[in-house]
Amino acid sequence: ELKVEQNPLFLSMQEGKNYTIYCNYSTTSDRLYWYRQDPGKSLESLFVLLSNGAVKQEGRLMASLDTKARLSTLHITAAVHDLSATYFCAVEGNNDMRFGAGTRLTVKP
Amino acid sequence: DAGVIQSPRHEVTEMGQEVTLRCKPISGHDYLFWYRQTMMRGLELLIYFNNNVPIDDSGMPEDRFSAKMPNASFSTLKIQPSEPRDSAVYFCASSWGWDSALMIEGTQYFGPGTRLLVL
């Protein structure tokens, strides 16, 4: 059974600081997704990672994938308040899609 | 395009009643997904369709849940009879299938969700 572990679950950081969210998964994956969800809102797709070593960047967010380690990271650079949200990774494999529990990020001035 | 459209946005019903949630995917997308989000269980994939055909419904919690996609522009998720533990936000999402040759990554676009409360 595909399992996805995301950590930390809660992250409070100051503006301007860097931090990384981790997403580990248990079995071979076809694709890995990162999503953002604002409170009471829907999910917004951030990145789709398809292959080992894939790295994608958008603004202050950068995602990477290591399929051998079954690990993806979402790195936040010089955080700003607008990045406050819950971030989910999701792993697709064998006709299944499993989400991590989410990381609730709060960026404080 | 207006994005994925879901209706109703909110639904309050009593235990035992039938509930029907509706979804209109983005035009041209050939995959449609139904998800459920609760505090206790997080986000769960319930079922997904490819070209209107259900591919995997292993996430459907039990026989009280059923989903259909009669055509490329419409899908329903039905709960009959509903129970309080079905209270959740139900999301519909759609995407193109992944195609490396066409550089299509399969990004899913989510609808606004239906917030269901079963009393």
Side-chain angles (χ1 to χ4, degrees):
Chain A
E1 181 185 334
L2 177 56
K3 294 185 179 179
V4 181
E5 288 189 4
Q6 195 175 330
N7 66 82
L9 298 183
F10 298 93
L11 177 55
S12 180
M13 52 191 300
Q14 285 189 313
E15 281 189 332
K17 299 292 186 182
N18 305 331
Y19 210 84
T20 300
I21 300 171
Y22 298 89
C23 177
N24 289 90
Y25 54 97
S26 60
T27 64
T28 305
S29 164
D30 296 325
R31 280 180 286 283
L32 189 140
Y33 303 83
W34 284 97
Y35 293 95
R36 168 182 172 146
Q37 186 177 37
D38 291 296
K41 302 293 185 182
S42 186
L43 279 80
E44 174 190 353
S45 178
L46 296 173
F47 302 107
V48 181
L49 301 171
L50 302 176
S51 59
N52 189 43
V55 177
K56 290 192 175 180
Q57 183 164 5
E58 182 74 33
R60 301 175 187 273
L61 301 178
M62 183 173 71
S64 65
L65 178 62
D66 182 343
T67 58
K68 294 179 181 178
R70 294 178 182 163
L71 169 69
S72 179
T73 61
L74 181 66
H75 187 73
I76 303 154
T77 302
V80 294
H81 178 71
D82 285 352
L83 290 180
S84 296
T86 299
Y87 293 85
F88 293 93
C89 66
V91 179
E92 181 179 342
N94 197 26
N95 286 336
D96 195 8
M97 171 90 87
R98 297 290 172 124
F99 283 78
T103 296
R104 185 175 293 183
L105 171 65
T106 303
V107 180
K108 299 181 178 179
Chain B
D1 201 314
V4 176
I5 298 172
Q6 290 186 249
S7 64
R9 295 291 304 275
H10 302 271
E11 178 82 23
V12 180
T13 190
E14 292 187 344
M15 183 174 63
Q17 297 298 306
E18 177 179 295
V19 175
T20 299
L21 311 181
R22 297 172 176 80
C23 175
K24 176 179 169 52
I26 292 172
S27 177
H29 282 184
D30 51 1
Y31 281 83
L32 184 140
F33 307 82
W34 282 101
Y35 294 94
R36 178 172 69 175
Q37 185 176 32
T38 63
M39 288 295 292
M40 292 298 295
R41 300 177 65 88
L43 276 155
E44 304 172 280
L45 174 64
L46 301 178
I47 185 171
Y48 75 94
F49 296 82
N50 177 217
N51 291 323
N52 314 337
V53 176
I55 301 302
D56 187 3
D57 64 355
S58 59
M60 296 284 262
E62 47 198 274
D63 292 345
R64 296 184 298 106
F65 286 70
S66 63
K68 294 182 179 180
M69 192 166 184
N71 58 62
S73 58
F74 184 65
S75 177
T76 60
L77 178 67
K78 186 175 293 187
I79 309 172
Q80 166 64 19
S82 59
E83 296 182 3
R85 59 191 168 126
D86 302 329
S87 298
V89 180
Y90 290 82
F91 290 106
C92 175
S94 70
S95 74
W96 285 290
W98 172 66
D99 187 322
S100 61
L102 297 176
M103 302 292 285
I104 298 174
E105 295 180 327
T107 298
Q108 293 184 24
Y109 296 84
F110 280 70
T114 295
R115 193 171 297 270
L116 173 65
L117 177 61
V118 183
L119 302 173

